Amino acid sequence: EPEVTQTPSHQVTQMGQEVILRCVPISNHLYFYWYRQILGQKVEFLVSFYNNEISEKSEIFDDQFSVERPDGSNFTLKIRSTKLEDSAMYFCASRTGQFYGYTFGSGTRLTVV
Amino acid sequence: TQLLEQSPQFLSIQEGENLTVYCNSSSVFSSLQWYRQEPGEGPVLLVTVVTGGEVKKLKRLTFQFGDARKDSSLHITAAQPGDTGLYLCAGGVQGAQKLVFGQGTRLTINP
């Protein structure tokens, strides 16, 4: 069964450092997403990406965050200057159409110290 | 802000019993999805319902979308220990790309 692949699985970074979280969505999917889950809390939407541009973003997704799909296969989330409160599990997801379910990756656990 | 409230948050029952988990909102959603999430893993899609009143069955699991598309339920018949896990409902926001997630129901089936 096709999978969404995320790397790394764990990342520890110092406050103020830049991090890049990487994802390879399912190849024939058209919609791409990043969600995050702070420990013990709900899964929260960050950003959606369609047709090579951001289609929607949440209030969390401020100027410190950016996404790219540089080569038609990878989908990255960059956090420019990490804060302690960015510590969370970050999930990449993709889907083939608007009324289809998502396929989520296994996540990257980001710890900011 | 659209919210989804799941109930109960925790449920522990004996193997063989039936159970229902509820997902409620005051908002209308374009679709309702149910996921199962294991510790340290991403949510795994169980079902998507898009039509008000729709019922879908997946073996011993029955999913229903409310007529007004504001609520949903997950019913498990003859629960088994393998059903143990965190169940999440998520609503597709109308006119938007994102999903809004409930807080989850942690289900434990005791042998």
mmCIF file of all heavy atoms in Angstrom, chain A residues 52-97:
data_model
loop_
_atom_site.group_PDB
_atom_site.id
_atom_site.type_symbol
_atom_site.label_atom_id
_atom_site.label_comp_id
_atom_site.label_asym_id
_atom_site.label_seq_id
_atom_site.Cartn_x
_atom_site.Cartn_y
_atom_site.Cartn_z
ATOM 1 N N ASN A 52 1.133 23.698 -6.561
ATOM 2 C CA ASN A 52 2.401 24.386 -6.312
ATOM 3 C C ASN A 52 2.282 25.698 -5.560
ATOM 4 O O ASN A 52 3.158 26.570 -5.680
ATOM 5 C CB ASN A 52 3.161 24.626 -7.619
ATOM 6 C CG ASN A 52 3.744 23.342 -8.162
ATOM 7 O OD1 ASN A 52 4.274 22.538 -7.408
ATOM 8 N ND2 ASN A 52 3.621 23.144 -9.455
ATOM 9 N N GLU A 53 1.212 25.832 -4.779
ATOM 10 C CA GLU A 53 1.137 27.018 -3.937
ATOM 11 C C GLU A 53 0.315 26.718 -2.684
ATOM 12 O O GLU A 53 -0.454 25.759 -2.652
ATOM 13 C CB GLU A 53 0.538 28.198 -4.693
ATOM 14 C CG GLU A 53 -0.866 27.986 -5.207
ATOM 15 C CD GLU A 53 -1.360 29.186 -5.990
ATOM 16 O OE1 GLU A 53 -0.542 30.002 -6.451
ATOM 17 O OE2 GLU A 53 -2.588 29.314 -6.125
ATOM 18 N N ILE A 54 0.516 27.554 -1.666
ATOM 19 C CA ILE A 54 -0.262 27.416 -0.449
ATOM 20 C C ILE A 54 -1.714 27.769 -0.755
ATOM 21 O O ILE A 54 -2.013 28.832 -1.324
ATOM 22 C CB ILE A 54 0.298 28.340 0.653
ATOM 23 C CG1 ILE A 54 1.672 27.837 1.125
ATOM 24 C CG2 ILE A 54 -0.668 28.431 1.823
ATOM 25 C CD1 ILE A 54 2.362 28.763 2.114
ATOM 26 N N SER A 55 -2.627 26.858 -0.407
ATOM 27 C CA SER A 55 -4.042 27.107 -0.636
ATOM 28 C C SER A 55 -4.746 27.588 0.632
ATOM 29 O O SER A 55 -5.779 28.260 0.559
ATOM 30 C CB SER A 55 -4.745 25.870 -1.192
ATOM 31 O OG SER A 55 -4.430 24.724 -0.421
ATOM 32 N N GLU A 56 -4.181 27.251 1.780
ATOM 33 C CA GLU A 56 -4.760 27.686 3.043
ATOM 34 C C GLU A 56 -3.707 27.527 4.133
ATOM 35 O O GLU A 56 -2.878 26.624 4.065
ATOM 36 C CB GLU A 56 -5.989 26.839 3.378
ATOM 37 C CG GLU A 56 -6.793 27.334 4.558
ATOM 38 C CD GLU A 56 -8.038 26.504 4.805
ATOM 39 O OE1 GLU A 56 -8.342 25.623 3.988
ATOM 40 O OE2 GLU A 56 -8.691 26.738 5.828
ATOM 41 N N LYS A 57 -3.756 28.424 5.120
ATOM 42 C CA LYS A 57 -2.861 28.280 6.258
ATOM 43 C C LYS A 57 -3.573 28.716 7.528
ATOM 44 O O LYS A 57 -4.515 29.509 7.477
ATOM 45 C CB LYS A 57 -1.569 29.069 6.070
ATOM 46 C CG LYS A 57 -1.773 30.549 5.833
ATOM 47 C CD LYS A 57 -0.436 31.218 5.534
ATOM 48 C CE LYS A 57 -0.652 32.714 5.324
ATOM 49 N NZ LYS A 57 0.627 33.414 5.044
ATOM 50 N N SER A 58 -3.116 28.182 8.654
ATOM 51 C CA SER A 58 -3.728 28.520 9.927
ATOM 52 C C SER A 58 -2.985 29.685 10.574
ATOM 53 O O SER A 58 -1.933 30.120 10.096
ATOM 54 C CB SER A 58 -3.706 27.305 10.853
ATOM 55 O OG SER A 58 -2.390 27.060 11.312
ATOM 56 N N GLU A 59 -3.538 30.142 11.690
ATOM 57 C CA GLU A 59 -2.898 31.228 12.449
ATOM 58 C C GLU A 59 -1.542 30.792 12.990
ATOM 59 O O GLU A 59 -0.659 31.620 13.220
ATOM 60 C CB GLU A 59 -3.795 31.649 13.610
ATOM 61 C CG GLU A 59 -5.076 32.331 13.167
ATOM 62 C CD GLU A 59 -6.007 32.614 14.328
ATOM 63 O OE1 GLU A 59 -5.708 32.182 15.462
ATOM 64 O OE2 GLU A 59 -7.036 33.263 14.100
ATOM 65 N N ILE A 60 -1.376 29.490 13.205
ATOM 66 C CA ILE A 60 -0.100 28.986 13.703
ATOM 67 C C ILE A 60 0.994 29.206 12.665
ATOM 68 O O ILE A 60 2.148 29.478 12.988
ATOM 69 C CB ILE A 60 -0.193 27.472 14.011
ATOM 70 C CG1 ILE A 60 -1.307 27.192 14.999
ATOM 71 C CG2 ILE A 60 1.139 26.930 14.504
ATOM 72 C CD1 ILE A 60 -1.656 25.719 15.109
ATOM 73 N N PHE A 61 0.640 29.092 11.418
ATOM 74 C CA PHE A 61 1.601 29.141 10.294
ATOM 75 C C PHE A 61 1.959 30.594 10.023
ATOM 76 O O PHE A 61 1.464 31.223 9.079
ATOM 77 C CB PHE A 61 0.986 28.487 9.064
ATOM 78 C CG PHE A 61 1.975 28.161 7.974
ATOM 79 C CD1 PHE A 61 2.636 26.956 7.980
ATOM 80 C CD2 PHE A 61 2.234 29.059 6.947
ATOM 81 C CE1 PHE A 61 3.540 26.636 6.968
ATOM 82 C CE2 PHE A 61 3.137 28.761 5.944
ATOM 83 C CZ PHE A 61 3.785 27.542 5.955
ATOM 84 N N ASP A 62 2.844 31.145 10.880
ATOM 85 C CA ASP A 62 3.224 32.548 10.725
ATOM 86 C C ASP A 62 4.484 32.655 9.861
ATOM 87 O O ASP A 62 4.872 31.693 9.195
ATOM 88 C CB ASP A 62 3.416 33.194 12.109
ATOM 89 C CG ASP A 62 4.519 32.527 12.916
ATOM 90 O OD1 ASP A 62 5.387 31.845 12.329
ATOM 91 O OD2 ASP A 62 4.504 32.685 14.157
ATOM 92 N N ASP A 63 5.120 33.828 9.895
ATOM 93 C CA ASP A 63 6.269 34.088 9.020
ATOM 94 C C ASP A 63 7.461 33.183 9.302
ATOM 95 O O ASP A 63 8.398 33.142 8.499
ATOM 96 C CB ASP A 63 6.718 35.546 9.168
ATOM 97 C CG ASP A 63 5.692 36.498 8.591
ATOM 98 O OD1 ASP A 63 4.797 36.014 7.862
ATOM 99 O OD2 ASP A 63 5.761 37.705 8.877
ATOM 100 N N GLN A 64 7.460 32.521 10.434
ATOM 101 C CA GLN A 64 8.560 31.604 10.757
ATOM 102 C C GLN A 64 8.461 30.281 10.007
ATOM 103 O O GLN A 64 9.405 29.511 9.966
ATOM 104 C CB GLN A 64 8.596 31.331 12.261
ATOM 105 C CG GLN A 64 8.931 32.544 13.105
ATOM 106 C CD GLN A 64 10.284 33.122 12.730
ATOM 107 O OE1 GLN A 64 11.277 32.411 12.648
ATOM 108 N NE2 GLN A 64 10.325 34.425 12.488
ATOM 109 N N PHE A 65 7.296 30.018 9.445
ATOM 110 C CA PHE A 65 7.060 28.750 8.762
ATOM 111 C C PHE A 65 7.045 28.975 7.246
ATOM 112 O O PHE A 65 6.579 30.011 6.761
ATOM 113 C CB PHE A 65 5.711 28.151 9.169
ATOM 114 C CG PHE A 65 5.636 27.649 10.578
ATOM 115 C CD1 PHE A 65 5.360 28.519 11.623
ATOM 116 C CD2 PHE A 65 5.841 26.312 10.866
ATOM 117 C CE1 PHE A 65 5.284 28.067 12.927
ATOM 118 C CE2 PHE A 65 5.757 25.838 12.173
ATOM 119 C CZ PHE A 65 5.479 26.719 13.205
ATOM 120 N N SER A 66 7.528 27.976 6.516
ATOM 121 C CA SER A 66 7.391 27.992 5.063
ATOM 122 C C SER A 66 7.341 26.555 4.562
ATOM 123 O O SER A 66 7.790 25.631 5.247
ATOM 124 C CB SER A 66 8.539 28.751 4.398
ATOM 125 O OG SER A 66 9.776 28.113 4.664
ATOM 126 N N VAL A 67 6.737 26.384 3.387
ATOM 127 C CA VAL A 67 6.680 25.060 2.761
ATOM 128 C C VAL A 67 7.190 25.174 1.337
ATOM 129 O O VAL A 67 7.094 26.222 0.698
ATOM 130 C CB VAL A 67 5.263 24.451 2.765
ATOM 131 C CG1 VAL A 67 4.843 24.043 4.167
ATOM 132 C CG2 VAL A 67 4.252 25.396 2.139
ATOM 133 N N GLU A 68 7.715 24.040 0.860
ATOM 134 C CA GLU A 68 8.204 23.973 -0.514
ATOM 135 C C GLU A 68 7.953 22.585 -1.060
ATOM 136 O O GLU A 68 7.960 21.602 -0.320
ATOM 137 C CB GLU A 68 9.725 24.206 -0.552
ATOM 138 C CG GLU A 68 10.145 25.629 -0.687
ATOM 139 C CD GLU A 68 11.627 25.746 -0.990
ATOM 140 O OE1 GLU A 68 12.385 24.789 -0.737
ATOM 141 O OE2 GLU A 68 12.013 26.814 -1.480
ATOM 142 N N ARG A 69 7.774 22.535 -2.376
ATOM 143 C CA ARG A 69 7.745 21.264 -3.081
ATOM 144 C C ARG A 69 8.753 21.415 -4.216
ATOM 145 O O ARG A 69 8.409 21.690 -5.350
ATOM 146 C CB ARG A 69 6.340 20.978 -3.587
ATOM 147 C CG ARG A 69 6.147 19.594 -4.135
ATOM 148 C CD ARG A 69 4.678 19.246 -4.192
ATOM 149 N NE ARG A 69 4.378 18.212 -5.161
ATOM 150 C CZ ARG A 69 4.586 16.915 -4.970
ATOM 151 N NH1 ARG A 69 5.107 16.489 -3.840
ATOM 152 N NH2 ARG A 69 4.277 16.045 -5.898
ATOM 153 N N PRO A 70 10.025 21.280 -3.894
ATOM 154 C CA PRO A 70 11.100 21.706 -4.808
ATOM 155 C C PRO A 70 11.231 20.886 -6.080
ATOM 156 O O PRO A 70 11.658 21.410 -7.102
ATOM 157 C CB PRO A 70 12.354 21.584 -3.941
ATOM 158 C CG PRO A 70 12.005 20.592 -2.885
ATOM 159 C CD PRO A 70 10.546 20.736 -2.643
ATOM 160 N N ASP A 71 10.873 19.601 -6.031
ATOM 161 C CA ASP A 71 11.209 18.745 -7.176
ATOM 162 C C ASP A 71 10.075 17.837 -7.611
ATOM 163 O O ASP A 71 10.305 16.855 -8.286
ATOM 164 C CB ASP A 71 12.443 17.898 -6.833
ATOM 165 C CG ASP A 71 12.230 17.087 -5.566
ATOM 166 O OD1 ASP A 71 11.078 16.997 -5.101
ATOM 167 O OD2 ASP A 71 13.220 16.560 -5.044
ATOM 168 N N GLY A 72 8.865 18.120 -7.232
ATOM 169 C CA GLY A 72 7.725 17.316 -7.648
ATOM 170 C C GLY A 72 7.527 16.049 -6.858
ATOM 171 O O GLY A 72 6.560 15.329 -7.083
ATOM 172 N N SER A 73 8.448 15.745 -5.920
ATOM 173 C CA SER A 73 8.223 14.571 -5.086
ATOM 174 C C SER A 73 8.328 14.923 -3.607
ATOM 175 O O SER A 73 7.492 14.529 -2.814
ATOM 176 C CB SER A 73 9.181 13.433 -5.442
ATOM 177 O OG SER A 73 10.515 13.829 -5.248
ATOM 178 N N ASN A 74 9.340 15.700 -3.230
ATOM 179 C CA ASN A 74 9.499 16.070 -1.832
ATOM 180 C C ASN A 74 8.612 17.246 -1.464
ATOM 181 O O ASN A 74 8.306 18.103 -2.294
ATOM 182 C CB ASN A 74 10.957 16.435 -1.550
ATOM 183 C CG ASN A 74 11.865 15.233 -1.668
ATOM 184 O OD1 ASN A 74 11.871 14.367 -0.817
ATOM 185 N ND2 ASN A 74 12.601 15.169 -2.760
ATOM 186 N N PHE A 75 8.216 17.278 -0.197
ATOM 187 C CA PHE A 75 7.396 18.365 0.333
ATOM 188 C C PHE A 75 7.988 18.696 1.693
ATOM 189 O O PHE A 75 8.051 17.827 2.565
ATOM 190 C CB PHE A 75 5.940 17.891 0.437
ATOM 191 C CG PHE A 75 4.961 18.909 0.935
ATOM 192 C CD1 PHE A 75 4.930 20.203 0.417
ATOM 193 C CD2 PHE A 75 4.033 18.574 1.904
ATOM 194 C CE1 PHE A 75 4.021 21.137 0.862
ATOM 195 C CE2 PHE A 75 3.102 19.500 2.362
ATOM 196 C CZ PHE A 75 3.099 20.783 1.838
ATOM 197 N N THR A 76 8.468 19.920 1.863
ATOM 198 C CA THR A 76 9.196 20.245 3.090
ATOM 199 C C THR A 76 8.495 21.336 3.886
ATOM 200 O O THR A 76 7.832 22.208 3.321
ATOM 201 C CB THR A 76 10.629 20.710 2.782
ATOM 202 O OG1 THR A 76 10.572 21.903 1.985
ATOM 203 C CG2 THR A 76 11.408 19.647 2.033
ATOM 204 N N LEU A 77 8.699 21.263 5.201
ATOM 205 C CA LEU A 77 8.250 22.299 6.125
ATOM 206 C C LEU A 77 9.486 22.866 6.802
ATOM 207 O O LEU A 77 10.268 22.112 7.387
ATOM 208 C CB LEU A 77 7.299 21.725 7.172
ATOM 209 C CG LEU A 77 6.868 22.677 8.299
ATOM 210 C CD1 LEU A 77 5.961 23.778 7.764
ATOM 211 C CD2 LEU A 77 6.148 21.904 9.415
ATOM 212 N N LYS A 78 9.686 24.166 6.684
ATOM 213 C CA LYS A 78 10.825 24.819 7.325
ATOM 214 C C LYS A 78 10.329 25.714 8.442
ATOM 215 O O LYS A 78 9.361 26.474 8.265
ATOM 216 C CB LYS A 78 11.608 25.655 6.304
ATOM 217 C CG LYS A 78 12.859 26.299 6.898
ATOM 218 C CD LYS A 78 13.448 27.391 6.028
ATOM 219 C CE LYS A 78 14.034 26.903 4.759
ATOM 220 N NZ LYS A 78 14.728 27.999 4.014
ATOM 221 N N ILE A 79 11.001 25.599 9.571
ATOM 222 C CA ILE A 79 10.765 26.539 10.671
ATOM 223 C C ILE A 79 12.049 27.329 10.822
ATOM 224 O O ILE A 79 13.105 26.745 11.104
ATOM 225 C CB ILE A 79 10.398 25.834 11.999
ATOM 226 C CG1 ILE A 79 9.265 24.828 11.780
ATOM 227 C CG2 ILE A 79 9.988 26.867 13.037
ATOM 228 C CD1 ILE A 79 8.924 24.000 13.005
ATOM 229 N N ARG A 80 11.976 28.625 10.617
ATOM 230 C CA ARG A 80 13.191 29.458 10.514
ATOM 231 C C ARG A 80 13.919 29.611 11.832
ATOM 232 O O ARG A 80 15.121 29.457 11.908
ATOM 233 C CB ARG A 80 12.838 30.838 9.969
ATOM 234 C CG ARG A 80 13.010 30.965 8.484
ATOM 235 C CD ARG A 80 12.727 32.375 8.024
ATOM 236 N NE ARG A 80 11.346 32.518 7.618
ATOM 237 C CZ ARG A 80 10.868 32.090 6.444
ATOM 238 N NH1 ARG A 80 11.643 31.514 5.578
ATOM 239 N NH2 ARG A 80 9.595 32.257 6.139
ATOM 240 N N SER A 81 13.223 29.913 12.872
ATOM 241 C CA SER A 81 13.837 30.167 14.171
ATOM 242 C C SER A 81 12.956 29.505 15.220
ATOM 243 O O SER A 81 11.938 30.069 15.632
ATOM 244 C CB SER A 81 13.952 31.679 14.419
ATOM 245 O OG SER A 81 14.489 31.929 15.702
ATOM 246 N N THR A 82 13.338 28.301 15.604
ATOM 247 C CA THR A 82 12.452 27.486 16.436
ATOM 248 C C THR A 82 12.308 28.062 17.844
ATOM 249 O O THR A 82 13.242 28.669 18.391
ATOM 250 C CB THR A 82 12.981 26.049 16.526
ATOM 251 O OG1 THR A 82 14.370 26.072 16.880
ATOM 252 C CG2 THR A 82 12.782 25.320 15.218
ATOM 253 N N LYS A 83 11.089 27.850 18.394
ATOM 254 C CA LYS A 83 10.793 28.259 19.772
ATOM 255 C C LYS A 83 10.468 26.988 20.565
ATOM 256 O O LYS A 83 10.142 25.945 19.984
ATOM 257 C CB LYS A 83 9.577 29.175 19.812
ATOM 258 C CG LYS A 83 9.681 30.391 18.929
ATOM 259 C CD LYS A 83 8.418 31.226 19.058
ATOM 260 C CE LYS A 83 8.335 32.181 17.889
ATOM 261 N NZ LYS A 83 7.153 32.162 17.130
ATOM 262 N N LEU A 84 10.517 27.111 21.882
ATOM 263 C CA LEU A 84 10.198 25.953 22.722
ATOM 264 C C LEU A 84 8.810 25.403 22.408
ATOM 265 O O LEU A 84 8.607 24.185 22.385
ATOM 266 C CB LEU A 84 10.283 26.338 24.201
ATOM 267 C CG LEU A 84 11.665 26.728 24.722
ATOM 268 C CD1 LEU A 84 11.577 27.172 26.176
ATOM 269 C CD2 LEU A 84 12.649 25.574 24.591
ATOM 270 N N GLU A 85 7.871 26.318 22.139
ATOM 271 C CA GLU A 85 6.484 25.900 21.902
ATOM 272 C C GLU A 85 6.266 25.244 20.532
ATOM 273 O O GLU A 85 5.160 24.799 20.231
ATOM 274 C CB GLU A 85 5.521 27.079 22.077
ATOM 275 C CG GLU A 85 5.850 28.295 21.253
ATOM 276 C CD GLU A 85 6.670 29.327 22.020
ATOM 277 O OE1 GLU A 85 7.532 28.944 22.853
ATOM 278 O OE2 GLU A 85 6.453 30.535 21.778
ATOM 279 N N ASP A 86 7.310 25.190 19.713
ATOM 280 C CA ASP A 86 7.220 24.457 18.447
ATOM 281 C C ASP A 86 7.418 22.958 18.654
ATOM 282 O O ASP A 86 7.252 22.171 17.715
ATOM 283 C CB ASP A 86 8.267 24.964 17.451
ATOM 284 C CG ASP A 86 7.994 26.384 16.996
ATOM 285 O OD1 ASP A 86 6.816 26.781 16.926
ATOM 286 O OD2 ASP A 86 8.978 27.109 16.733
ATOM 287 N N SER A 87 7.792 22.568 19.853
ATOM 288 C CA SER A 87 7.967 21.141 20.146
ATOM 289 C C SER A 87 6.638 20.421 19.970
ATOM 290 O O SER A 87 5.636 20.776 20.600
ATOM 291 C CB SER A 87 8.470 20.944 21.579
ATOM 292 O OG SER A 87 9.761 21.482 21.732
ATOM 293 N N ALA A 88 6.626 19.438 19.086
ATOM 294 C CA ALA A 88 5.385 18.732 18.743
ATOM 295 C C ALA A 88 5.725 17.600 17.796
ATOM 296 O O ALA A 88 6.855 17.474 17.308
ATOM 297 C CB ALA A 88 4.390 19.679 18.071
ATOM 298 N N MET A 89 4.709 16.805 17.500
ATOM 299 C CA MET A 89 4.798 15.819 16.430
ATOM 300 C C MET A 89 4.242 16.506 15.177
ATOM 301 O O MET A 89 3.139 17.053 15.211
ATOM 302 C CB MET A 89 3.943 14.612 16.793
ATOM 303 C CG MET A 89 4.194 13.400 15.971
ATOM 304 S SD MET A 89 5.712 12.568 16.479
ATOM 305 C CE MET A 89 5.380 10.933 15.831
ATOM 306 N N TYR A 90 5.012 16.486 14.106
ATOM 307 C CA TYR A 90 4.585 17.110 12.860
ATOM 308 C C TYR A 90 4.250 16.013 11.859
ATOM 309 O O TYR A 90 5.071 15.142 11.578
ATOM 310 C CB TYR A 90 5.678 18.029 12.309
ATOM 311 C CG TYR A 90 5.806 19.302 13.109
ATOM 312 C CD1 TYR A 90 6.515 19.317 14.313
ATOM 313 C CD2 TYR A 90 5.207 20.484 12.688
ATOM 314 C CE1 TYR A 90 6.611 20.470 15.077
ATOM 315 C CE2 TYR A 90 5.296 21.651 13.431
ATOM 316 C CZ TYR A 90 5.995 21.634 14.630
ATOM 317 O OH TYR A 90 6.085 22.782 15.368
ATOM 318 N N PHE A 91 3.025 16.089 11.325
ATOM 319 C CA PHE A 91 2.567 15.081 10.378
ATOM 320 C C PHE A 91 2.384 15.702 8.993
ATOM 321 O O PHE A 91 1.764 16.755 8.854
ATOM 322 C CB PHE A 91 1.218 14.498 10.804
ATOM 323 C CG PHE A 91 1.272 13.689 12.070
ATOM 324 C CD1 PHE A 91 0.697 14.170 13.229
ATOM 325 C CD2 PHE A 91 1.891 12.445 12.087
ATOM 326 C CE1 PHE A 91 0.735 13.427 14.395
ATOM 327 C CE2 PHE A 91 1.941 11.692 13.251
ATOM 328 C CZ PHE A 91 1.364 12.189 14.409
ATOM 329 N N CYS A 92 2.911 15.027 8.007
ATOM 330 C CA CYS A 92 2.647 15.348 6.620
ATOM 331 C C CYS A 92 1.500 14.450 6.157
ATOM 332 O O CYS A 92 1.380 13.300 6.616
ATOM 333 C CB CYS A 92 3.904 15.071 5.801
ATOM 334 S SG CYS A 92 3.719 15.233 4.031
ATOM 335 N N ALA A 93 0.660 14.957 5.277
ATOM 336 C CA ALA A 93 -0.444 14.157 4.749
ATOM 337 C C ALA A 93 -0.686 14.530 3.297
ATOM 338 O O ALA A 93 -0.349 15.638 2.859
ATOM 339 C CB ALA A 93 -1.714 14.379 5.561
ATOM 340 N N SER A 94 -1.276 13.596 2.565
ATOM 341 C CA SER A 94 -1.648 13.905 1.188
ATOM 342 C C SER A 94 -2.952 13.199 0.856
ATOM 343 O O SER A 94 -3.355 12.247 1.549
ATOM 344 C CB SER A 94 -0.542 13.477 0.209
ATOM 345 O OG SER A 94 -0.386 12.071 0.171
ATOM 346 N N ARG A 95 -3.620 13.676 -0.180
ATOM 347 C CA ARG A 95 -4.820 13.009 -0.657
ATOM 348 C C ARG A 95 -5.013 13.311 -2.128
ATOM 349 O O ARG A 95 -4.463 14.268 -2.666
ATOM 350 C CB ARG A 95 -6.054 13.400 0.143
ATOM 351 C CG ARG A 95 -6.420 14.853 0.122
ATOM 352 C CD ARG A 95 -7.706 15.071 0.895
ATOM 353 N NE ARG A 95 -8.032 16.478 1.048
ATOM 354 C CZ ARG A 95 -9.196 16.908 1.513
ATOM 355 N NH1 ARG A 95 -10.138 16.047 1.877
ATOM 356 N NH2 ARG A 95 -9.426 18.197 1.633
ATOM 357 N N THR A 96 -5.837 12.477 -2.753
ATOM 358 C CA THR A 96 -5.983 12.576 -4.200
ATOM 359 C C THR A 96 -7.034 13.591 -4.614
ATOM 360 O O THR A 96 -6.977 14.121 -5.726
ATOM 361 C CB THR A 96 -6.286 11.175 -4.782
ATOM 362 O OG1 THR A 96 -6.224 11.233 -6.185
ATOM 363 C CG2 THR A 96 -7.650 10.677 -4.340
ATOM 364 N N GLY A 97 -8.010 13.862 -3.739
ATOM 365 C CA GLY A 97 -9.059 14.807 -4.079
ATOM 366 C C GLY A 97 -9.706 15.356 -2.844
ATOM 367 O O GLY A 97 -9.467 14.889 -1.725
#
